[in-house]
Amino acid sequence: MPVFQSVNITVLQDSQRGKGNAMGKLEGRLALVTGASRGIGEHCARALCEQGARVALAARSEDDLFRVAAELANDPVVLPIDLTKPGAGAELAASAVKALGGVDILVNNAGIGEIKDEDEMVMRVNYHAPLETTKALSRQMADRGRGSIIHMSSVAGATGVAELPTYGATKAALDSLTRSQAAQLGKFGIRVNAVAPGLIITEMWEQGRKTPGLADGLASHIALGRWGEPEEIGSVVAFLAGDDAAYITGQTILVDGGFHGVTAWGNYF
């Protein structure tokens, strides 16, 4: 297994991965997805692959990355890395360019939740790592004449959450970064957007949803009356990555079923 700057680069052979080539609107595009070993990141990678992109999967869990990659077409690449380490974002960017030959689509999905007395680590993973990765990839995107960068934000970035002060702050920072980078990079053909999920059924909520009444209680505050599925985030990411979103940049798109900013005052039926 070749190694580049401490990041293992593995291109799966036919015997290790899903065979065949997906056809779609992202045919020929090269994508890097962080936090791709499970949850929203995994489904973002799947959605991009289904539209024809070749995807590099990055996360700490090598076994889970191989599990996901084994089910993808288009010669996926596995890039195990720990984004809690300073400089890891730039290191990952260099490894992805070496493995894929370039990157057209960057999905900065990797993130961690609130951790008591670990504010610096939360900020490092949720903000500094995406910033490093984006900076390191934007020049080669400019040279290629195109690029779509998608940061994974959260409704917590738009609201105050008493239990999640640092987490919410990192997501608000990403929303601001999205607007600034869109202004900076647009002239190079690079679009920068963010997706802000609401309550999504992922491993992060696995224990919480077991609390009696919690899942249904929160669902009652969602306009659509249900939690979201990770696939519903992946489909929005795939849309923003492609040419159908060619005139969208600098936006944070809430994908929350009407959880934030929607209030029902009465019954109409």
Side-chain angles (χ1 to χ4, degrees), residues 50-136:
E50 287 169 3
Q51 288 299 318
R54 186 184 182 202
V55 182
L57 310 164
R60 284 184 291 182
S61 174
E62 189 169 355
D63 289 344
D64 285 334
L65 289 177
F66 275 108
R67 173 186 58 80
V68 176
E71 299 175 4
L72 300 184
N74 309 324
D75 298 313
V77 175
V78 168
L79 301 173
I81 192 166
D82 183 356
L83 289 173
T84 65
K85 299 178 179 179
E91 182 180 333
L92 174 62
S95 299
V97 170
K98 180 178 181 181
L100 296 175
V103 174
D104 304 303
I105 301 162
L106 169 62
V107 182
N108 282 313
N109 168 76
I112 55 178
E114 194 80 15
I115 303 175
K116 185 178 180 180
D117 299 326
E118 292 288 354
D119 296 337
E120 291 185 7
M121 179 185 293
V122 176
M123 183 63 76
R124 159 111 284 280
V125 176
N126 291 4
Y127 178 77
H128 288 292
L131 177 61
E132 289 173 2
T133 308
T134 303
K135 281 185 174 181

Side-chain angles (χ1 to χ4, degrees), residues 150-192:
I150 303 160
H151 299 304
M152 195 59 65
S153 183
S154 168
V155 293
T159 64
V161 182
E163 297 83 2
L164 307 173
T166 303
Y167 176 81
T170 64
K171 297 304 184 178
L174 275 183
D175 292 343
S176 179
L177 181 66
T178 295
R179 295 187 292 271
S180 296
Q181 288 181 330
Q184 180 185 39
L185 300 175
K187 61 186 176 182
F188 300 110
I190 302 170
R191 296 181 296 107
V192 187

Side-chain angles (χ1 to χ4, degrees), residues 123-259:
M123 183 63 76
R124 159 111 284 280
V125 176
N126 291 4
Y127 178 77
H128 288 292
L131 177 61
E132 289 173 2
T133 308
T134 303
K135 281 185 174 181
L137 286 175
S138 58
R139 173 56 61 187
Q140 64 87 45
M141 285 183 175
D143 291 342
R144 294 167 71 83
R146 68 183 183 193
S148 178
I149 297 165
I150 303 160
H151 299 304
M152 195 59 65
S153 183
S154 168
V155 293
T159 64
V161 182
E163 297 83 2
L164 307 173
T166 303
Y167 176 81
T170 64
K171 297 304 184 178
L174 275 183
D175 292 343
S176 179
L177 181 66
T178 295
R179 295 187 292 271
S180 296
Q181 288 181 330
Q184 180 185 39
L185 300 175
K187 61 186 176 182
F188 300 110
I190 302 170
R191 296 181 296 107
V192 187
N193 292 289
V195 174
L199 297 171
I200 308 298
I201 301 174
T202 63
E203 291 86 345
M204 185 174 69
W205 277 102
E206 185 174 358
Q207 292 302 314
R209 284 176 55 83
K210 294 178 181 178
T211 303
L214 183 142
D216 290 341
L218 288 174
S220 69
H221 294 282
I222 301 173
L224 294 181
R226 65 174 179 85
W227 289 55
E229 299 286 347
E231 294 91 336
E232 294 173 302
I233 306 300
S235 63
V236 176
V237 167
F239 164 71
L240 289 173
D243 293 339
D244 286 344
Y247 205 54
I248 300 176
T249 195
Q251 305 302 307
T252 296
I253 298 179
L254 288 164
V255 187
D256 65 353
F259 179 62

